[in-house]
Amino acid sequence: PGSCNHPQPSPGPAHCRPRASRPGTRHRVVSTCHSLVVGVVGLYIFFFDEAAIADPLWGDTSLGKVNIAIASGYLVSDLLILIWYWKVIGDKYFVIHHCTALYAYHFVLLSHKGSHSQLWSSLVAQKKDGVLVYIGNFRLLAELSSPFVNQRWFFEALKYPKFSKANVINGILMTVVFFVVRIASIPPFYSYMYSVFGTEAYRRLGFLIQFSWITTCVVLDVMNVMWMIKISKGCIKIISLLRQEKARKSLQNGKLD
């Protein structure tokens, strides 16, 4: 069992694993921990934070900004890791996703109540009262799908059969949760955006934040739709193969009888 050449159901001790797998494993573990923290806190804010719920555009909540700060810190560190280990875990879509999200979240953390047409340096110098805190935390609910995506990676790394019960259940849950938190949320989100368009609270945001709010969300949601299509195709393929396998076994059993 101590030999690196001995076949095992898991990668074995750290010194026996291929060096290239270590950053990938650490990357997925940290991603799962981050997604659980910001996702759960985001759920609490979405349902119970009265200040944020009462005014989604300007409601100021310390917990909400802390959650955004945690997510921003993770995105920065993850972006650096992706670049450093590009040949192992690099992904251009992750880079686009992280940079877009960071750009959007900096308004939540560093904006101020007043004119928002000033330059970045002016924004930093002003009193910090975040805007769109509730909106930012609503977007973080999308992270609740990450644990299932990461778990699929772990199953593949551990060489679990694609048709294993654990793999199939995780795949179905991944598809359902991904759809709920990233796709089903799109219509109500843009419906709300349309409902506040032109209001006094919306005008107070200023053109820069208005434009950034819309464009960053569109970019992120386009990627979410792309990923959803890919995940759905994989899920449908697995279910179809399972049905074919079940039918084949039933046919064989019938012939044996």
Side-chain angles (χ1 to χ4, degrees):
S3 171
C4 293
N5 296 322
H6 188 81
Q8 300 181 38
S10 64
H15 67 277
C16 293
R17 299 174 197 164
R19 182 173 294 274
S21 70
R22 295 179 189 174
T25 301
R26 291 194 294 263
H27 175 254
R28 298 289 175 167
V29 170
V30 174
S31 172
T32 297
C33 293
H34 158 262
S35 60
L36 289 174
V37 171
V38 299
V40 171
V41 174
L43 276 176
Y44 173 82
I45 293 170
F46 179 71
F47 286 111
F48 303 111
D49 196 311
E50 296 180 0
I53 295 173
D55 189 355
L57 298 188
W58 289 93
D60 193 9
T61 164
S62 298
L63 180 61
K65 287 193 286 188
V66 168
N67 205 33
I68 295 292
I70 293 172
S72 299
Y74 164 77
L75 290 172
V76 171
S77 65
D78 197 55
L79 190 58
L80 294 175
I81 291 172
L82 285 172
I83 295 172
W84 187 261
Y85 295 105
W86 184 260
K87 292 183 179 180
V88 181
I89 57 176
D91 189 308
K92 62 182 179 181
Y93 290 110
F94 279 2
V95 172
I96 295 172
H97 172 275
H98 287 14
C99 291
T100 303
L102 281 170
Y103 173 74
Y105 288 151
H106 97 266
F107 288 111
V108 177
L109 298 174
L110 299 177
S111 298
H112 68 96
K113 295 181 179 179
S115 173
H116 291 274
S117 59
Q118 302 175 48
L119 296 175
W120 162 262
S121 58
S122 300
L123 289 173
V124 174
Q126 297 289 337
K127 180 181 177 182
K128 298 176 183 178
D129 288 309
V131 297
L132 303 177
V133 179
Y134 184 78
I135 300 298
N137 277 275
F138 177 79
R139 299 293 307 192
L140 281 179
L141 296 181
E143 292 299 322
L144 291 171
S145 64
S146 295
F148 301 99
V149 177
N150 292 332
Q151 189 59 47
R152 183 185 64 171
W153 184 91
F154 285 123
F155 283 146
E156 290 179 356
L158 295 173
K159 301 189 184 303
Y160 270 60
K162 284 188 176 182
F163 297 129
S164 66
K165 187 175 181 180
N167 224 334
V168 172
I169 292 175
N170 180 74
I172 294 173
L173 287 174
M174 177 182 68
T175 305
V176 172
V177 175
F178 195 99
F179 175 80
V180 171
V181 299
R182 293 180 184 258
I183 305 301
S185 60
I186 290 178
F189 178 78
Y190 287 99
S191 176
Y192 172 77
M193 187 183 292
Y194 177 78
S195 70
V196 299
F197 184 82
T199 62
E200 176 60 25
Y202 181 83
R203 287 195 295 269
R204 284 169 54 206
L205 293 174
F207 175 77
L208 178 60
I209 292 182
Q210 293 168 2
F211 177 79
S212 300
W213 179 17
I214 296 171
T215 54
T216 55
C217 289
V218 169
V219 170
L220 293 173
D221 286 330
V222 166
M223 285 192 288
N224 285 333
V225 171
M226 290 170 53
W227 287 330
M228 184 73 250
I229 292 173
K230 185 177 180 180
I231 290 173
S232 299
K233 287 181 177 179
C235 186
I236 292 172
K237 182 179 179 180
I238 292 296
I239 292 175
S240 298
L241 291 174
L242 281 173
R243 288 179 176 176
Q244 292 176 12
E245 182 68 15
K246 186 177 180 180
R248 186 181 65 81
K249 288 183 178 180
S250 297
L251 183 61
Q252 288 179 344
N253 291 335
K255 288 182 178 180
L256 290 174
D257 293 340

